[in-house]
Structure formats: structure tokens, C-alpha cells
Amino acid sequence: MSELFLPCVYAFVACFAFCFVVNIRGRMLLFAPLGASLGWLVYIAAAPAASELLCYFFATLAVSIYAEIMARLHRAPATGFLLVGLLPLVPGGGIYYTMEYCISGDTAMFLETGLHTFGIAGSLALGVLVVSSIVRFYSVVRRHLRQKAGLPPA
């Protein structure tokens, strides 16, 4: 049980500290790191059943949905919630080792690690893209239907 929730607590604490770096204030100071904990929980829960790239994708979907919901509730941009929420999922170690293999001249490991890191980054980008596109499409359709009905835009 602790192997499931303890990493989520670590993600919350690390991202809570990061909130001060990106100047997040007020109630968002507590809600932004919750997205990081949620993302890490989804990643850990999906790990036994899916490949690593799918785990990153599912975690990013969860963080993106959470960010869009919190943005509406707090009347704030979703970017702040996304920035903090995706922080634990960023493949920093992969980037470091890719560059280490490049400098040491190990071409095979450089390519392997680089492609894997690129795949993780692509999973993160695709997850954010899917959710933000759906939200954007919904808002455009909703605005169009309200205009058609003669209601003021909301």
C-alpha cells in the first residue's frame, strides 16, 4: 500500500516546492501539486498492465483533465496546473543519460536512450494535445449553439 501512495506524497512535496519557483499563489498553491500526485498515481497504477509509454500517456491524460477542471473552478489558466502537474513525469534522467552516452561516444546507447526519451516526451505532448483539443472543440461547439439559440456567450 505504501509503495503506491508514498511516491505520490513525494511528488506532491516536490511540486509544492516548485510552485514557489513559478510564482503560484493562493489556493492554487495546494491544488496544483495535487495534479502531480494524481499523475504519478495513475502512472504507478497503470504500470503492471501497460507499457511504459502508455503509462506516461495515461498519466498525462489524467493530469490534463485535472488541469482543465481546476482551471475552470479557480478561473485561472490551465497552464499553471499543467506545468506543475507534469513535472514528475518529465524524463530528466533520460535526457541526462542520452547526453552522457553522446559525449562518451557510445552511439548505440545514445540512440536507444534518446529514442526512448523522445517517446516519453511524445507521450506527454500527445496526452496534453488530446485533452486540450477536446476541451477547445467543446467550447467552440457550445458557443456556436448558444449563438444559434440567441443566448449571450458564456
Side-chain angles (χ1 to χ4, degrees):
M1 184 80 154
S2 67
E3 63 271 353
L4 186 63
F5 291 109
L6 206 51
C8 298
V9 171
Y10 296 151
F12 179 86
V13 171
C15 291
F16 182 78
F18 188 73
C19 286
F20 293 108
V21 174
V22 294
N23 204 17
I24 292 179
R25 298 176 186 211
R27 293 183 306 180
M28 286 177 45
L29 192 61
L30 289 177
F31 287 103
L34 276 177
S37 295
L38 173 70
W40 203 244
L41 180 68
V42 170
Y43 176 83
I44 292 171
S51 71
E52 186 180 14
L53 294 180
L54 272 178
C55 291
Y56 277 105
F57 178 71
F58 293 146
T60 305
L61 284 179
V63 170
S64 297
I65 291 169
Y66 177 81
E68 293 291 342
I69 291 170
M70 288 295 116
R72 300 306 179 272
L73 291 177
H74 294 283
R75 299 185 192 278
T79 309
F81 294 103
L82 268 176
L83 178 68
V84 174
L86 290 177
L87 189 65
L89 300 173
V90 172
I95 296 168
Y96 173 81
Y97 287 114
T98 300
M99 290 299 106
E100 182 181 4
Y101 293 135
C102 178
I103 291 171
S104 68
D106 191 351
T107 308
M109 285 303 292
F110 165 71
L111 289 174
E112 181 182 335
T113 310
L115 288 175
H116 185 261
T117 304
F118 188 71
I120 292 171
S123 294
L124 296 178
L126 189 61
V128 172
L129 178 72
V130 166
V131 173
S132 64
S133 296
I134 290 171
V135 169
R136 176 77 176 145
F137 180 74
Y138 171 75
S139 66
V140 167
V141 168
R142 183 172 172 228
R143 187 179 316 130
H144 177 72
L145 291 176
R146 287 183 66 84
Q147 284 177 345
K148 208 172 179 183
L151 298 171

